[in-house]
């Protein structure tokens, strides 16, 4: 059974002990309600490090006022069991007051990659993410930290922050884990009723169509985005938030498409906001510079 600790001091003590025993430290930050996507991150960390710390913290500073902070699923006991099965050694589950001192007034802001996609629709979200990641990195002091490609913009923001602020942590991306029907696993999927869940399958389907279009030679980001959008709209029960077809590193539009491209989508099924993406290698069109 992985041990659960609540205080920063206790985590630091355990990590110092593990390091003294010659172990490298892997870290998997989560908000809990763990599923097979999280498990993949934990297993990767356990395979690549002598000691794996998993954090479970529903970070209030990354939620907007109208978002689902209060109803976000919390179920520590089941999470600890799954964490242990995956190979985690320690679960850090702080209370909000244990993470943020009263009067907390210091923020970390990545100013470019955070601007578009989800950042444009969730003001302050990536500031909350970056700040909590820095805090967690300073508490755990890992050698490696594992992030899912499912939250693609988050991964890129964290990689940029680590580079820009000289953290010596290796950020390890992990491919998106999907249910057999193609839906990316997410803690928020449990909000979906069966019909909403069926409708949500249009998202991975549309992403695949977009990727196939690019692989088939389409080089217009607008045409690819339109095709993805219309497949999602055609489903009839989803509410589109955005489709973006952008460079996978800069998250900026490139036209004509070339290099590594990410197609990123956010859409609502019922009240539940879902995100997903696909990365496509896109050879430069013949004749382009
Ligand atoms: P969350 O608990 O949703 O904040 O996610 C914690 C970490 O798990 C993040 O790095 C996510 O990108 C990652 N993650 C969530 N869902 C998946 C998935 N389906 N596949 C891979 N990684 C995931």
């Amino acid at each position: 059974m992985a041990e659960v600790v609540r205080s920063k001091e206790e985590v630091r003590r355990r990590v110092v002990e593990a390091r003294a025993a010659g172990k490298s430290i892997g870290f998997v930050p989560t908000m809990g309600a763990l599923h097979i996507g999280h498990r993949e991150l934990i297993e990767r960390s356990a395979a690549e490090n002598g000691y794996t710390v998993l954090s479970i913290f529903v970070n209030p500073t990354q939620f907007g006022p109208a978002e689902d902070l209060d109803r976000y699923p919390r179920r520590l006991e089941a999470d600890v069991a799954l964490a242990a099965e995956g190979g985690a050694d320690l679960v850090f589950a702080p209370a909000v007051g244990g993470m943020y001192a009263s009067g907390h007034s210091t923020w970390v802001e990545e100013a470019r990659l955070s601007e578009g996609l989800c950042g444009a629709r969730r003001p302050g979200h990536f500031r909350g993410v970056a700040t909590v990641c820095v805090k967690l990195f300073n508490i755990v002091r890992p050698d490696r930290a594992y992030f899912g490609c499912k939250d693609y913009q988050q991964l890129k923001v964290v990689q940029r922050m680590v580079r820009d602020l000289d953290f010596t942590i290796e950020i390890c991306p992990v491919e998106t884990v999907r249910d057999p029907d193609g839906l990316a696993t997410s803690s928020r999927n449990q909000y979906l009723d069966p019909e909403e869940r069926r409708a949500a399958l249009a998202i991975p389907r549309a992403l695949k169509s977009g990727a196939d279009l690019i692989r088939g030679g389409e080089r217009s980001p607008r045409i690819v985005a339109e095709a993805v959008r219309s497949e999602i709209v055609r489903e009839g029960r989803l509410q589109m938030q955005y489709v973006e077809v952008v460079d996978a590193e800069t998250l900026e539009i490139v036209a004509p498409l070339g290099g590594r491209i990410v197609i990123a989508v956010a859409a609502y099924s019922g009240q539940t906001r879902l995100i997903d993406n696909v990365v496509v290698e896109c050879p430069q069109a013949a004749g382009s510079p």
Side-chain angles (χ1 to χ4, degrees):
M1 203 62 185
E3 242 186 300
V4 183
V5 301
R6 298 283 188 182
S7 82
K8 302 172 183 178
E9 293 72 25
E10 192 61 25
V11 177
R12 289 202 173 104
R13 213 169 59 71
R14 300 305 169 98
V15 168
V16 166
E17 278 170 14
R19 248 190 221 299
K23 296 175 177 173
S24 66
I25 312 297
F27 177 44
V28 180
T30 80
M31 298 205 300
L34 302 183
H35 50 70
I36 54 172
H38 296 114
R39 183 166 169 147
E40 185 77 19
L41 273 63
I42 298 166
E43 286 178 357
R44 268 279 303 277
S45 174
E48 295 173 4
N49 301 278
Y51 193 80
T52 289
V53 180
L54 173 94
S55 66
I56 297 178
F57 181 60
V58 183
N59 173 37
T61 67
Q62 70 189 67
F63 285 77
E67 294 182 354
D68 58 344
L69 173 64
D70 292 336
R71 69 188 272 259
Y72 198 85
R74 291 160 171 91
R75 39 157 213 241
L76 185 62
E77 212 173 301
D79 285 352
V80 174
L82 189 146
E85 282 166 28
D89 298 288
L90 189 72
V91 175
F92 175 41
V96 173
M99 271 300 276
Y100 289 99
S102 75
H104 174 99
S105 57
T106 307
W107 301 98
V108 179
E109 192 151 9
E110 190 288 324
R112 182 157 305 160
L113 301 174
S114 305
E115 277 186 342
L117 312 177
C118 292
R121 282 90 187 175
R122 301 184 70 188
H125 171 67
F126 287 113
R127 184 180 87 149
V129 168
T131 303
V132 83
C133 282
V134 165
K135 288 168 69 61
L136 290 166
F137 289 169
N138 279 331
I139 294 164
V140 178
R141 306 261 175 145
D143 298 290
R144 301 188 184 87
Y146 295 81
F147 286 83
C149 296
K150 151 87 164 43
D151 299 277
Y152 190 81
Q153 188 176 16
Q154 168 174 281
L155 168 68
K156 290 291 135 188
V157 167
V158 171
Q159 283 176 328
R160 175 63 60 90
M161 176 188 87
V162 160
R163 186 199 75 174
D164 287 352
L165 299 184
D166 302 301
F167 283 88
T168 54
I169 299 168
E170 183 188 345
I171 301 300
C172 306
V174 177
E175 283 302 315
T176 301
V177 175
R178 298 176 182 281
D179 282 330
D181 58 12
L183 189 66
T185 59
S186 162
S187 305
R188 290 187 168 100
N189 289 357
Q190 60 187 270
Y191 298 149
L192 301 171
D193 68 26
E195 187 173 334
E196 289 169 347
R197 197 182 184 295
R198 262 193 305 281
L201 296 178
I203 297 171
R205 211 167 48 230
L207 285 169
K208 184 172 180 311
S209 310
D212 286 346
L213 260 184
I214 295 176
R215 292 190 191 108
E218 181 56 62
R219 291 293 177 268
S220 158
R222 197 181 48 75
I223 289 174
V224 174
E226 223 16 79
V228 173
R229 175 182 299 278
S230 69
E231 180 138 1
I232 288 174
V233 169
R234 192 168 344 121
E235 203 291 328
R237 289 170 294 184
L238 297 177
Q239 169 118 32
M240 207 53 243
Q241 190 178 49
Y242 70 77
V243 182
E244 304 265 2
V245 181
V246 290
D247 182 273
E249 292 309 313
T250 64
L251 306 185
E252 284 168 7
I253 290 178
V254 265
L257 295 171
R260 283 181 80 239
I261 297 296
V262 62
I263 310 175
V265 163
Y268 285 87
S269 189
Q271 299 299 304
T272 306
R273 184 175 180 276
L274 300 170
I275 58 170
D276 199 353
N277 69 83
V278 62
V279 174
V280 197
E281 294 293 341
C282 175
Q284 307 282 350
S288 65

